[in-house]
Amino acid sequence: MRMLRYILRRLLFLVPVVLGSIFIAFLLTRVVPGNPIERVAGPYASEERVLEMKAEANLDKPIPQQFLIYVNDLLHGDMGMSYTTAQPVGKDLKERFPASFELVMFAIGLAIVLAIPLGVVSAVKRGSWIDHVARVIAVAGVSAPIFWIAMVLLSIFYGKLGWLPGSQGRLPIIMSPPPHVTGMYTIDALLAGDPVTFKEALRALILPVLTLALVSMAPIARMTRATMIDALDSDYVRTATSLGIPRRTVVMKHAFKNAIIPVLTLIAGVIGYAIGGEVLIELIFSWPGLGLYSYNAIMSADFPAVQGFIILATCLYILIYLIVDVITALLDPRVEY
Amino acid sequence: MAEKMTAAPLLRVENLQTSFFTRRGVAKVLDGFDLELRRGEILGLVGESGSGKSVTGYSIIGLLKHPGKIVGGEIRFYGSKGDQQGIDLVTLPAKQMAEVRGKEIAMIFQNPRSCLDPLMSVGDQIMEVLKYRRGMSKSEARAECIRLLKTVHIPEPERRMNAYPHQLSGGMAQRVMIAMAISCAPTLLIADEPTTGLDVTTEHQILELLREMRDVTGAGIILITHDLNMAAEVCDRITVMYAGNTAETAPVETFFSAPRHPYTLGLLASRPRLGEEGDIPTIPGNVPDLIQRPTGCPFHPRCRWATEICAAQEPEPRVIGEGHVVACHHTEVVARDVIAAD
């Protein structure tokens, strides 16, 4: 009950933050040079036509008024029309969200599953070969740019070996997506009992997921190693050891549980970073998700689309932090909620 | 008291050498340290910070942290089995040492609140020990946990079991630590500055509790402290350490009435006392660098009785009275001067 109240209170916080992000998103798109109407109208449109289109999009009005109109529309669930896709932004985002979600979730899931054990083992066996491997991955993951990792993976697994598809998107062109349930092709294919589509959807995911996972692993493994070393050095671990509690229990029950809490918060940050890193990955792999959408929107000064993406990303970010904070509160009796 | 003097030894540390292999060089933190503890006895191990008191505790229970290592000597432990030969904890294989830890030898530390796992209720932590070390079922462990908390005088144990360490005061947390430490009825309890950070009233209660535990369990206790008043309050005997050596060991009455080591005299003189005016006399100089130890007696650079022999030769411990052992070349001179000054 108290937890529910805590969640509601945290959700209430969402309101000012989202309002702020709407304002900034709106302002940024206006400040950045570029006129969407001229682009949409094309070089041969008449002066009157351009003015007419500007009026239709309310771009002829003063900026404060434009803002009020936009917020009013938002409150009615209308994020505006995209100039590039000529569809409501809300619909665009909804269509593209599952593609990105599938990619990010697989990548973060893989990163967590690999990085946390790696960090734990390298802390427990400090100076062992696993510790050195972890360090190499951490340094590489932090310092190598995303696009470079993507290029290397593509050139090996697609270019040289030909095992995996290249920059094709979510499925080979000749295949049609499975019936829509979640929008995530792998899951929808499984639900439809379609192993061929499932296999192709999975194959298409491997390289982008691997790229994002590699980049996300580095900070998680490093943080896990550091917090785990602190925990193993702590007074309560010394107490447990002095009482003859088996080493395994000391490491997993006392040290790990304490070490994982700060890592959870870091993971929230990594997911946020992945949402940003996604833009590049989607570009390289022609992945029709939010990243690619926002990239195109920015390039063509598609104000409503850019604003929509920023607002959605903000909400996602806050939601992820909320989830992490709830888990932390459940794990740590010291957290007041 | 007389009975205790003749009681069987529980622990005999001989010529213990523990070094820390640092980047600067080898720090000989314990350099030929001797100590003897009898069953049911409380021994005060006193000395300045950095004299190697805690390292002695960790060496005995086998919890030395890297880069610390026992490089020589013997820790003979006679344990609960009443073994005549005893076992040498220095050479004991790690697996057997883990068996000894908790069951035969337990330790309590300073800052008790940080010594408990912040994510687990204190009841769960005590029951964990009972489960792993005494093979108890959940319901047995629960009952025993309540009994233990009562033993250490924690009110409302059924309710306090569910408390988390951050909800306890330092004194309560130390009581929980003591409950955990005695849960397997160890024969040796090492208390490393157990009252640091506690207020005076609580300090007194914890010391009282330690003495009570000794009376109840018959365990021998090594009380590590820098506070001579505290040692005077509960200890049967006191061993003074200086730079990893035993300077003086004496029964508590002798220790305060007829101290004979110059370092002990300095420690006693530098105790703050009520009603006395003027500055508290301090021992000149500092604890020596353990990487470049002074030759001979480690205390000689700070000693007003020091002569050439002190710099040249390390003094052998000498028995000068009933249970009174001093490692000093000039015991007689010091004794004469002390008596003359009185």
Side-chain angles (χ1 to χ4, degrees), chain A residues 13 41 44 49 70 79 92 121 126 154 168 277 296 300-301:
Chain A
F13 264 121
Y44 305 114
R49 179 70 193 125
Y70 181 67
M79 301 180 100
D92 278 347
V121 174
R126 244 178 290 178
L154 266 176
Q168 66 161 31
N296 288 330
S300 51

Side-chain angles (χ1 to χ4, degrees), chain A residues 235 238-239 242 253-254 258, chain B residues 58 102 114-115 117 128 133:
Chain A
D235 290 352
R238 182 186 60 191
T239 305
S242 79
K253 208 161 145 196
H254 295 287
N258 277 282
Chain B
Y58 291 134
S114 69
C115 290
D117 188 333
E128 183 181 54
R133 304 297 283 159

Side-chain angles (χ1 to χ4, degrees), chain B residues 36-251:
Chain B
E36 195 182 280
L37 180 74
R38 306 186 185 106
R39 285 172 199 278
E41 178 185 52
I42 302 183
L43 175 81
L45 191 56
V46 300
E48 285 168 287
S49 309
S51 58
K53 304 180 303 268
S54 296
V55 171
T56 305
Y58 291 134
S59 298
I60 293 169
I61 201 170
L63 281 181
L64 277 175
K65 270 187 191 156
H66 180 82
K69 221 178 151 216
I70 297 176
V71 290
E74 208 179 63
I75 303 174
R76 202 148 279 280
F77 177 61
Y78 298 90
S80 61
K81 290 168 191 90
D83 191 343
Q84 291 286 307
Q85 297 295 306
I87 40 172
D88 181 13
L89 300 180
V90 175
T91 53
L92 197 67
K95 223 175 163 175
Q96 279 162 273
M97 190 66 217
E99 260 313 297
V100 169
R101 235 179 266 136
K103 267 210 170 120
E104 296 269 349
I105 305 176
M107 189 161 177
I108 60 172
F109 310 90
Q110 46 185 317
N111 305 325
R113 293 212 298 177
S114 69
C115 290
L116 294 165
D117 188 333
L119 305 186
M120 256 171 116
S121 72
V122 295
D124 283 347
Q125 296 188 49
I126 296 173
M127 291 195 288
E128 183 181 54
V129 182
L130 296 170
K131 180 185 147 205
Y132 281 110
R133 304 297 283 159
R134 286 174 65 186
M136 284 187 172
S137 71
K138 211 165 175 185
S139 57
E140 285 172 327
R142 207 188 130 76
E144 176 67 5
C145 171
I146 292 170
R147 193 190 69 77
L148 282 165
L149 290 176
K150 273 188 191 146
T151 308
V152 296
H153 308 303
I154 290 183
E156 299 179 80
E158 289 88 350
R159 196 172 61 86
R160 285 297 170 90
M161 272 182 78
N162 302 318
Y164 286 93
H166 72 280
Q167 296 163 331
L168 299 179
S169 66
M172 277 296 149
Q174 195 59 288
R175 283 170 194 275
V176 171
M177 282 295 292
I178 293 173
M180 278 167 85
I182 63 166
S183 63
C184 302
T187 47
L188 171 60
L189 180 64
I190 302 167
D192 185 5
E193 310 241 10
T195 62
T196 306
L198 303 182
D199 64 68
V200 185
T201 325
T202 316
E203 172 178 305
H204 187 78
Q205 289 168 351
I206 293 294
L207 291 179
E208 205 41 60
L209 183 63
L210 279 179
R211 183 151 53 189
E212 198 186 320
M213 292 304 109
R214 185 269 311 265
D215 295 342
V216 171
T217 63
I221 297 177
I222 297 175
L223 177 65
I224 296 170
T225 178
H226 58 266
D227 184 347
L228 284 170
N229 294 324
M230 190 158 118
E233 198 178 327
V234 286
C235 296
D236 301 311
R237 283 192 308 137
I238 292 176
T239 288
V240 174
M241 282 189 84
Y242 186 77
N245 280 103
T246 316
E248 180 166 9
T249 297

Side-chain angles (χ1 to χ4, degrees), chain A residues 200-280:
Chain A
E200 284 307 320
L202 200 62
R203 270 163 52 88
L205 266 171
I206 291 176
L207 287 185
V209 161
L210 212 58
T211 309
L212 199 53
L214 276 175
V215 184
S216 310
M217 263 178 82
I220 301 175
R222 236 176 49 175
M223 181 79 151
T224 309
R225 181 180 185 272
T227 56
M228 199 61 195
I229 284 175
D230 281 350
L232 288 170
D233 251 2
S234 71
D235 290 352
Y236 51 85
V237 161
R238 182 186 60 191
T239 305
T241 311
S242 79
L243 289 163
I245 304 289
R247 181 73 181 158
R248 230 189 117 75
T249 311
V250 173
V251 171
M252 293 320 292
K253 208 161 145 196
H254 295 287
F256 180 69
K257 232 174 117 187
N258 277 282
I260 201 67
I261 290 174
V263 177
L264 285 177
T265 312
L266 177 88
I267 289 175
V270 168
I271 296 176
Y273 179 75
I275 292 174
E278 252 236 317
V279 176
L280 271 175

